[in-house]
Amino acid sequence: MVEIAPDLPRAKAASEAAGAAAVAAGCCPGGAVVELAQTDEHALTSADFAGQLRRNDDGSEALTLVVQNLHCPSCIRSIESAVDGRPGLIRARVNLSTRRLELQWDPEETGAEPLLAAVAARGYRLVPLDPEQLQSASAAEEKELLWAMAVAGFAASNVMLLSVSVWSGLVTDMGPATRTLMHWVSAMIALPAVAYAGRPFFRSALTVLRSGHTNMDVPISLAVILAAGMSLSETLRGGDLVYFDASVMLLFFLLIGRFLDLRLRGRARSAAENLTALKATAATVVAADGSLQSLPINRLKPGMTVAVAAGERIPMDGEVLSGRSEVDASLLTGESLPQPVREGAAVYAGTVNGGGALRIAVTALPDESLLSEIVRLMESAEQGRDRYVRLADRVARLYAPVVHLLAAATFGGWLALSSLPWQDSLMIAIAVLIITCPCALGLAVPAVQVAAVGRLMKQGILVKSADALERLAQVDTVVFDKTGTLTRGCPSLQNAADIDPTLLGLAADIARHSRHPLARALSRAAAGSGRDLTVQEHAGDGLSTEVDGKTIRLGRRGWCGADDGSADAAMELWLSGGDFAPQRFTFNDAPRADAAEVIAALKARGIAVELLSGDRSGVVAQLAEDLGIDVWRGDCRPAEKIARLENLKAEGRRTAMIGDGLNDAPALATAFASLSPAEAADVSQIAADIVFQGERLAPVVEAIGTSRRARRLVFQNFGLAMLYNLIAVPIAVAGFVTPLIAAAAMSGSSIIVTANAMRLNLKNRNADA
């Protein structure tokens, strides 16, 4: 996947120019945005977001944008339904926690313009995925909410004082004229305050109603307007049932809840968004004459030389040409200690040069860097939908019709079956409108999902799919590959001195075409002759090539047709097929430092552990004994690994496969869940659900533990959301809840669910059962 470098200034200007929005104001908290009318000349086009377009390997195009005025679950359905069924659309996903919209389409059938226009026609404001712009918009949103809260709080306190006088006058000698005067003074304070402080809700409701839809702010706006309107009606006719204090205080509580929810969800915001902030915006390029000039990142090309001073962030992937330093790569790899680098060392975009000055040769385009790839993986995981998210969406989809019918039925029921005046019946219906908000249910899963993915990212663990954690939480068996997984994957050739230099060079020439650890060790041990060979890799067997009309094989003993009668447990490769006797190469590969500890930790959590390897049984047996693995099998072909996984599945086991080689890719794709180290072959990383960085195996335990805690928190959030509705709604319908209490309860339920998800970031890393 290749992502075009972002042209943020143009996209930003276009987004602020009104896009194709009917009104770009605020569904839910997005009231910080001024209202903009749609015009044909300002209609959004793909050119406006050209820098954000991604062209996938399958030929499709994708675009990830932020919906600034997105807050409630019904908005998700509104946005997705706006584009569902359109020709060429492959995928449309909205994430409530991160406010992201991901669109994927076939460019042969459609383009970005009609999809963006369809979303904007529903009144939603789309902006680029630019951390600086998002931070600015978030700050503006918070500022407006604070001003609205201040106005509502000031008005509420003063109107409440007047109301106390009126209530006291009901049992004393206050006359009707004085009471009416108090009501009019309250109206002059309350009505302007409601008009100003209620803008975040009113604009949002008006926007979606114009597009023929509804969202959470419609009943909220309706409740506030009904309370204030009924009070004004009573004041005009000199009645006693005036609730200006309730309408303003109701708005004050709603704004408090919205502000707290905004701040709390900001803490759980996308880890990919935080990673994007690590990208440098410019680089100091060294010209051919030695002069220095600053260039934007999107103008860097492989082969350029970049100067990075001590303390600066490295702007792109590259290779150190000169200088020595230590690089802090903790946010990318999870390794806490700075890594020393010198001439020839690889460095990555987003890491920090902590020591001396470096000159670095650019080796990859900015969009092909490790940081960009991690961001893409994170966005993919956070944008996806697991089974629990889909369930919550289906429930929240019924929200609007059910809420309005329930409130209307409550009003009609109290009016027809009780002696209450219509004003009191209306106040009960208003409480029902407010208390039935499904925000807690809509946030139950996305909040946990974002927190889990972000936590794992900090440990150097990249989740590639939304349902990966859901599946990993159910795993009861872990199957390991050996070389490069349980072992360091950096074996060394042991018998180089005993091998003919000509054969050693030939083997090295063949081996340099493979990423298998033994092949790489062989190519490191000898320089080779530099001949250009056409080499074919055979998964699970080895490498073959044609030399002087003869097929030369480098690989497994049996595949190479070699047997010298040895039966020791050494790792080996064989070279055969030419005018020479088959030659054996022996290697040694130590296990990862924490391999035994990880195996013991998995067993302690009730997880069965197996070892399947293509290496010789003697080698596998020795490693299994050293690490405490009771079930193992050597000489496994890829088909045999798959067969074992299928047998485990037939036994009712849910298996996680952990492997790194080309021969592990089919098994990784077959397993219930799969993990792969970052050094693995590309095909294995593609097949795996989760990719982990670093030299240790501890991320395996961390991933399983986090997935189990996340699953538990999801169920807790579902329980909290359902419990809230089961208790609050009947009480509200029964007339025991005032609009003020309903506002506090509704806001509190969303905050509790989000705060519960944030518990995933607590430092207790041990309890995962």
Side-chain angles (χ1 to χ4, degrees), residues 54-140:
R54 302 191 303 273
R55 294 183 176 87
N56 302 322
D57 294 336
D58 60 2
S60 65
E61 293 183 348
L63 183 61
T64 301
L65 300 170
V66 174
V67 187
Q68 278 199 334
N69 48 345
L70 170 70
H71 184 68
C72 66
S74 58
C75 296
I76 297 176
R77 177 59 182 168
S78 177
I79 293 174
E80 293 183 355
S81 65
V83 294
D84 280 348
R86 288 182 174 267
L89 180 70
I90 299 174
R91 171 187 172 91
R93 289 290 180 266
V94 179
N95 186 302
L96 181 60
S97 291
T98 62
R99 299 190 192 176
R100 299 216 187 149
L101 165 64
E102 181 184 9
L103 296 170
Q104 184 180 359
W105 64 89
D106 182 353
E108 298 293 330
E109 297 186 44
T110 188
E113 292 93 337
L115 301 179
L116 295 174
V119 174
R122 295 284 176 93
Y124 295 97
R125 186 170 190 259
L126 305 175
V127 298
L129 190 60
D130 175 12
E132 292 185 4
Q133 185 178 354
L134 294 178
Q135 185 176 3
S136 175
S138 179

Side-chain angles (χ1 to χ4, degrees), residues 255-303:
L255 287 167
I256 291 176
R258 178 143 299 176
F259 179 78
L260 292 176
D261 181 54
L262 177 68
R263 293 295 298 270
L264 197 56
R265 285 207 284 156
R267 294 181 57 191
R269 191 156 293 158
S270 165
E273 182 177 307
N274 296 333
L275 275 178
T276 303
L278 299 180
K279 293 184 177 181
T281 58
T284 303
V285 176
V286 182
D289 59 1
S291 61
L292 303 179
Q293 67 175 127
S294 179
L295 288 180
I297 292 298
N298 57 10
R299 292 180 59 185
L300 294 182
K301 296 180 180 179

Side-chain angles (χ1 to χ4, degrees), residues 715-737:
F715 286 135
Q716 290 175 6
N717 279 354
F718 272 137
L720 289 171
M722 297 306 296
L723 182 65
Y724 160 77
N725 283 284
L726 289 175
I727 295 176
V729 174
I731 294 177
V733 173
F736 295 110
V737 177

Side-chain angles (χ1 to χ4, degrees), residues 188-462:
M188 287 188 290
I189 297 174
L191 294 179
V194 168
Y196 177 85
R199 290 182 306 160
F201 306 103
F202 301 155
R203 286 197 303 249
S204 168
L206 182 61
T207 296
V208 295
L209 288 175
R210 283 177 175 175
S211 63
H213 297 81
T214 185
N215 64 15
M216 174 188 124
D217 283 343
V218 172
I220 287 179
S221 300
L222 185 61
V224 172
I225 292 173
L226 284 176
M230 183 194 72
S231 300
L232 180 60
S233 173
E234 283 290 288
T235 301
L236 288 171
R237 73 179 191 87
D240 296 332
L241 299 177
V242 176
Y243 297 100
F244 286 120
D245 53 344
S247 61
V248 180
M249 189 66 73
L250 166 62
L251 193 55
F252 181 55
F253 278 135
L254 290 170
L255 287 167
I256 291 176
R258 178 143 299 176
F259 179 78
L260 292 176
D261 181 54
L262 177 68
R263 293 295 298 270
L264 197 56
R265 285 207 284 156
R267 294 181 57 191
R269 191 156 293 158
S270 165
E273 182 177 307
N274 296 333
L275 275 178
T276 303
L278 299 180
K279 293 184 177 181
T281 58
T284 303
V285 176
V286 182
D289 59 1
S291 61
L292 303 179
Q293 67 175 127
S294 179
L295 288 180
I297 292 298
N298 57 10
R299 292 180 59 185
L300 294 182
K301 296 180 180 179
M304 287 184 173
T305 300
V306 174
V308 181
E312 289 185 348
R313 195 172 296 280
I314 295 175
M316 69 299 130
D317 289 4
E319 180 179 317
V320 177
L321 294 178
S322 63
R324 293 189 178 187
S325 183
E326 289 187 336
V327 172
D328 180 4
S330 57
L331 289 176
L332 292 183
T333 66
E335 297 289 343
S336 58
L337 296 177
Q339 303 299 308
V341 296
R342 56 185 301 176
E343 184 177 334
V347 291
Y348 301 99
T351 58
V352 178
N353 177 21
L358 297 174
R359 293 290 176 96
I360 301 171
V362 178
T363 58
L365 292 170
D367 299 317
E368 298 172 352
S369 68
L370 174 63
L371 177 60
S372 295
E373 182 60 26
I374 291 175
V375 169
R376 282 192 287 268
L377 290 175
M378 297 290 294
E379 290 175 349
S380 176
E382 291 177 344
Q383 285 297 111
R385 297 273 178 95
D386 62 18
R387 178 165 52 94
Y388 303 127
V389 176
R390 292 191 293 269
L391 175 62
D393 286 350
R394 284 196 296 269
V395 175
R397 190 178 303 166
L398 301 174
Y399 157 70
V402 170
V403 166
H404 291 92
L405 287 175
L406 183 61
T410 300
F411 175 69
W414 277 99
L415 197 61
L417 303 177
S418 74
S419 59
L420 286 180
W422 70 269
Q423 294 91 338
D424 287 341
S425 299
L426 183 61
M427 293 302 289
I428 295 174
I430 289 172
V432 172
L433 277 175
I434 296 170
I435 209 166
T436 49
C437 169
C439 269
L441 184 62
L443 288 169
V445 184
V448 175
Q449 191 175 21
V450 169
V453 171
R455 172 179 175 139
L456 291 178
M457 181 276 296
K458 294 175 183 177
Q459 306 300 317
I461 306 167
L462 309 177

Side-chain angles (χ1 to χ4, degrees), residues 24-66:
C27 158
C28 311
V33 186
V34 296
E35 187 170 317
L36 299 171
Q38 177 184 356
T39 62
D40 291 339
E41 60 179 312
H42 289 132
L44 292 176
T45 67
S46 57
D48 296 323
F49 295 97
Q52 302 289 308
L53 284 176
R54 302 191 303 273
R55 294 183 176 87
N56 302 322
D57 294 336
D58 60 2
S60 65
E61 293 183 348
L63 183 61
T64 301
L65 300 170
V66 174

Side-chain angles (χ1 to χ4, degrees), residues 155-170 174 182-183 186 242-246:
S157 60
N158 284 276
V159 173
M160 189 63 72
L161 290 175
L162 293 169
S163 297
V164 169
S165 301
V166 173
W167 297 336
S168 300
L170 292 176
M174 179 182 286
M182 292 289 190
H183 288 163
S186 297
V242 176
Y243 297 100
F244 286 120
D245 53 344

